Amino acid sequence: MKRAVTAKDVLILIGVAIAWTLVVMAFSTSMGTRPLRIYDWGPPVFAAVLTLFFMLKDRKSGPDER
């Protein structure tokens, strides 16, 4: 049985994505001073957007047919 995507799920996803992005950026810049590049913050943000898209797409689809 599918579970509905709630606002709590979306907030958890965004919170985890923000936390992970900050961790990646902190490790990327801790080795020396340099400007942030897209490969520092892009993958976690892209993964969060992609996950959110599929969560919402799955929510709009019909009930699970098992």
Side-chain angles (χ1 to χ4, degrees):
M1 175 181 256
K2 287 186 181 181
R3 190 172 79 79
V5 176
T6 63
K8 180 182 175 184
D9 297 328
V10 173
L11 289 175
I12 290 172
L13 173 69
I14 291 172
V16 169
I18 288 172
W20 187 247
T21 301
L22 292 175
V23 167
V24 169
M25 289 170 54
F27 278 110
S28 295
T29 57
S30 67
M31 299 299 177
T33 304
R34 67 172 182 80
L36 289 174
R37 296 182 176 96
I38 193 167
Y39 55 80
D40 293 330
W41 57 268
V45 170
F46 179 71
V49 169
L50 195 64
T51 302
L52 184 59
F53 171 76
F54 280 106
M55 282 172 60
L56 294 174
K57 181 182 172 212
D58 190 47
R59 180 179 80 169
K60 290 180 181 178
S61 66
D64 195 13
E65 298 176 16
R66 289 187 190 185

